[in-house]
Amino acid sequence: FEENHNTGFITETIRNVFTGGLSGEFEFVNKQKTWLFTYQVSDSGIVDLIGMDISARVVHWKEMQFRHDRNHFILQHLQAGILIISAQGIIEFANDAFRNLFDLVMKPEIIIGSNFQSFTDKLFTYFENPSSFKALIEQCKETNDLLFDHKLNTANGKIYKVDFIPFNTENSYRDWE
């Protein structure tokens, strides 16, 4: 960054606007570059200013945001019901198809943020034999076993094929079809 051109102007602006003891950070976009500045103003008005080019980080963040949005769109519009639960047991995602599987009248946004355990206590009332299915899911969670093509009979006579897929990452994913 050109010390004599832009940082002098920024330093003088900070000195004139802010009083001593203040510190913070801000972004500055100059042509095709993005800079992150941290500053601290002393009681005597001296400004310590450090700038870092974060252009690559901004490009990377935009690419990640695009991928996240694309994947979210795909998951949201799949015909398979998808439920994603964090390792801490908090529901992070539920698409419309999941809600429709169990005739849930609540929107997925209401489900998100709920505790999976309290939610499943309500959800398992829809099953013909809730205690055996709940025990099977708990066993899969403990052993990290995959469960594919498990037939699930509901109390209202519907039969579902259920896949349970735990991932060993920050989050655990449960997939209901």
Side-chain angles (χ1 to χ4, degrees):
F1 200 73
E2 299 150 10
E3 171 70 36
N4 59 353
H5 183 260
N6 291 322
T7 56
F9 171 75
I10 293 170
T11 302
E12 197 57 37
T13 302
I14 292 171
R15 183 179 295 120
N16 290 334
V17 174
F18 301 110
T19 59
L22 185 69
S23 62
E25 64 182 34
F26 62 92
E27 284 187 18
F28 180 77
V29 180
N30 181 6
K31 295 182 184 175
Q32 296 178 348
K33 298 235 181 217
T34 303
W35 296 85
L36 176 66
F37 285 96
T38 58
Y39 63 88
Q40 183 169 0
V41 182
S42 70
D43 291 332
S44 61
I46 296 174
V47 177
D48 289 327
L49 180 68
I50 299 172
M52 178 174 43
D53 181 359
I54 61 167
S55 302
R57 201 180 306 176
V58 170
V59 169
H60 179 70
W61 181 86
K62 287 179 181 179
E63 289 171 358
M64 286 184 57
Q65 186 66 41
F66 172 78
R67 286 187 199 110
H68 172 271
D69 292 347
R70 180 192 59 206
N71 293 340
H72 187 271
F73 180 84
I74 291 168
L75 288 174
Q76 185 62 37
H77 293 91
L78 282 175
Q79 290 182 349
I82 305 292
L83 180 67
I84 300 175
I85 301 111
S86 74
Q88 293 76 29
I90 303 300
I91 297 174
E92 293 183 344
F93 178 83
N95 67 355
D96 288 337
F98 175 82
R99 182 182 53 130
N100 293 337
L101 282 174
F102 298 100
D103 299 322
L104 299 174
V105 293
M106 63 183 84
K107 293 187 176 190
E109 294 80 27
I110 306 267
I111 298 170
I112 294 169
S114 299
N115 180 289
F116 178 67
Q117 188 63 45
S118 63
F119 181 76
T120 56
D121 289 343
K122 295 174 191 169
L123 185 65
F124 283 121
T125 62
Y126 290 95
F127 302 151
E128 188 175 89
N129 189 351
S131 58
S132 67
F133 183 69
K134 191 171 185 177
L136 179 63
I137 292 297
E138 290 302 318
Q139 178 186 355
C140 290
K141 282 172 41 181
E142 288 177 20
T143 61
N144 278 332
D145 289 339
L146 304 177
L147 176 65
F148 290 109
D149 296 330
H150 182 80
K151 301 290 186 222
L152 175 64
N153 297 319
T154 63
N156 64 5
K158 292 182 181 179
I159 300 173
Y160 295 114
K161 179 187 78 152
V162 175
D163 296 335
F164 178 85
I165 307 168
F167 285 85
N168 291 322
T169 62
E170 292 180 7
N171 299 317
S172 298
Y173 296 79
R174 278 82 173 181
D175 178 7
W176 302 74
E177 290 186 37

